[in-house]
Amino acid sequence: MADTTSGTRFDIEAFRRAVEEGDVRALVSRFADDADMETVDRRTPPSAPTVIQGRDSIEDFIREVYSMDLDHEVLDYVTDGDHAAYTERCTYPDGLTVKSISMLDLSDGEIVHQSMVQAWDEESPESVRIGDFDASDERMEFDHGHSEVVHLGGQNINRLTLEPGWRWSEHLRPDIGTDLCMLTHSLTLMQGTMRFRTSDGVERELKAGQVAFVPPGHDAWVVGDETVVVLDRSMDG
């Protein structure tokens, strides 16, 4: 472990404890109000990273991470003036591991930018896994819809049920706090029809039986009078 703090008020040791203990309030307090968090992995390459803007949105993301059944361990960390870096290992009960490396840009002792690169085990120690959406304890209700999540082989598989009239910018934007959805989605539409509009104004329609990759920076809505059922796959961590 290296700690070369030089003229910064950022307490890297307290930050490490918060990461390992899952102290969400302490972690969030380290970020500036207008901070952003950028993540690069296999699904979101450097040309299209996931970017989360603002401390409130970062808090939502951190709370989601710590709602998962994971052990968090900081393997190494270092600070130097207005920068800090650390490596983290997250382990599921079955042994599947996610490892990340983060760079922090600091100003007046607060994080103003976090850049994270992460990778995970390609295969689970178990060859076959079965999940059940109906038995999921991660069900979330929201206006005009609900979601259920199962975790399999390092993936979050989210089943979204969206009622006619649902639109991301109307029903989720007030809680998320960004103008557009800044997550990356790999979707399989099981029922109904959806449309997406990206930040450059391009619209695409997705029908039942089709799959889609949707980059960060988009709006989405249900088309017609049929309820939409969609599977959204993303990687844990």
Side-chain angles (χ1 to χ4, degrees):
M1 178 181 67
D3 186 355
T4 59
T5 303
S6 175
T8 178
R9 290 181 290 155
F10 183 75
D11 189 340
I12 188 67
E13 176 60 26
F15 185 79
R16 178 197 65 78
R17 290 196 303 270
V19 170
E20 295 191 338
E21 296 170 5
D23 189 339
V24 174
R25 179 176 297 179
L27 285 174
V28 173
S29 71
R30 306 292 171 177
F31 288 86
D33 288 342
D34 58 350
D36 64 89
M37 179 184 290
E38 180 181 63
T39 302
V40 171
D41 55 31
R42 186 179 63 187
R43 295 177 59 255
T44 56
S47 61
T50 295
V51 180
I52 303 173
Q53 299 279 356
R55 183 163 60 186
D56 290 343
S57 297
I58 290 172
E59 178 176 0
D60 292 340
F61 171 76
I62 292 175
R63 289 192 182 280
E64 181 179 355
V65 169
Y66 280 96
S67 71
M68 302 175 188
D69 190 4
L70 284 167
D71 289 329
H72 296 260
E73 180 184 6
V74 175
L75 303 175
D76 200 4
Y77 57 86
V78 61
T79 61
D80 185 7
D82 291 332
H83 302 280
Y86 69 98
T87 59
E88 180 181 358
R89 179 170 59 205
C90 302
T91 308
Y92 286 88
D94 62 11
L96 188 142
T97 300
V98 182
K99 189 172 182 180
S100 64
I101 300 174
S102 291
M103 289 290 299
L104 308 177
D105 295 335
L106 310 171
S107 177
D108 295 327
E110 293 184 319
I111 301 169
V112 295
H113 174 74
Q114 177 171 350
S115 180
M116 178 170 61
V117 179
Q118 63 180 5
W120 46 85
D121 290 335
E122 292 297 325
E123 296 182 358
S124 166
E126 300 176 8
S127 59
V128 176
R129 294 182 174 187
I130 297 174
D132 187 348
F133 285 113
D134 293 331
S136 172
D137 58 0
E138 294 189 42
R139 179 185 172 98
M140 181 178 70
E141 301 282 347
F142 49 86
D143 193 7
H144 278 68
H146 64 270
S147 67
E148 299 109 346
V149 182
V150 298
H151 306 287
L152 291 174
Q155 290 191 48
N156 298 324
I157 306 177
N158 188 8
R159 183 174 70 180
L160 292 160
T161 301
L162 307 173
E163 300 169 2
W166 177 88
R167 187 169 186 138
W168 187 92
S169 56
E170 294 180 12
H171 300 109
L172 288 181
R173 179 169 62 183
D175 294 327
I176 302 300
T178 56
D179 290 337
L180 298 172
C181 177
M182 299 309 296
L183 299 179
T184 302
H185 303 282
S186 294
L187 304 176
T188 303
L189 194 62
M190 309 301 294
Q191 175 182 304
T193 304
M194 294 186 72
R195 286 191 72 85
F196 301 88
R197 179 186 294 130
T198 53
S199 57
D200 57 5
V202 174
E203 289 192 15
R204 297 295 298 274
E205 189 165 280
L206 183 65
K207 296 181 179 294
Q210 293 182 318
V211 298
F213 173 83
V214 184
H218 59 269
D219 193 9
W221 60 94
V222 172
V223 176
D225 297 327
E226 184 178 11
T227 296
V228 160
V229 179
V230 62
L231 299 183
D232 182 9
R233 293 173 175 80
S234 61
M235 298 308 300
D236 289 336

